[in-house]
Amino acid sequence: FMEMTFSNVSFIRLIRMFRVVRAFRVIRTMGHFKELRLLMHTIVASVLALFWSMLIMFIFQLMTAILLCQTLHDFIVDPTAEMEMRLWANQHYGDGLKALYTVFELTFSGCWPNYARPVIERVH
């Protein structure tokens, strides 16, 4: 019985030795992939920069949306202004979320004149 336990322990030690050798082999081959590690580090760093750029862009869009919503509020509630334009302004700039979505479209789509031109020409 003792002899069998000793052989099992020897076998387990041999397996551990092979694992250690395999780990050293992996570490040795990692030296060949310096360019890949540099590339991965660059991608991670650029994703972080992209996050901060998107956050700054969102803050600017939010500030613009609040400004537009506040400045067009008097026009939207003015009973002397033309009703069709008031409804259009309310639909696009009536509250914070509508204004933020409109500013998002202004920023990232090519249809910004559709939202800016009526405000410039018909709101007074």
Side-chain angles (χ1 to χ4, degrees):
F1 181 72
M2 246 349 216
E3 204 173 287
M4 191 168 185
T5 306
F6 182 71
S7 66
N8 285 342
V9 172
S10 302
F11 182 70
I12 292 174
R13 284 183 184 166
L14 187 63
I15 290 175
R16 283 186 192 163
M17 181 74 110
F18 282 129
R19 285 184 184 170
V20 170
V21 168
R22 191 170 46 186
F24 281 131
R25 198 178 291 163
V26 168
I27 290 171
R28 193 176 68 214
T29 58
M30 289 301 287
H32 298 290
F33 294 112
K34 288 180 184 176
E35 293 85 9
L36 180 62
R37 280 192 311 223
L38 178 66
L39 187 62
M40 291 303 294
H41 180 66
T42 305
I43 289 172
V44 168
S46 64
V47 166
L48 190 61
L50 177 67
F51 167 76
W52 286 112
S53 327
M54 289 175 59
L55 182 67
I56 289 172
M57 179 68 81
F58 175 74
I59 290 170
F60 283 137
Q61 286 178 347
L62 187 61
M63 290 179 354
T64 305
I66 292 170
L67 176 75
L68 285 169
C69 185
Q70 290 295 314
T71 55
L72 290 175
H73 175 71
D74 291 336
F75 175 77
I76 292 171
V77 296
D78 183 16
T80 61
E82 130 186 24
M83 181 57 97
E84 178 188 342
M85 186 59 196
R86 287 174 54 202
L87 290 173
W88 181 87
N90 186 42
Q91 179 183 359
H92 294 288
Y93 304 101
D95 62 34
L97 286 176
K98 290 177 185 177
L100 183 61
Y101 182 71
T102 303
V103 171
F104 178 81
E105 284 186 325
L106 283 167
T107 306
F108 293 115
S109 71
C111 64
W112 66 268
N114 297 337
Y115 299 112
R117 181 72 59 194
V119 172
I120 294 169
E121 291 177 352
R122 298 171 67 189
V123 174
H124 46 282

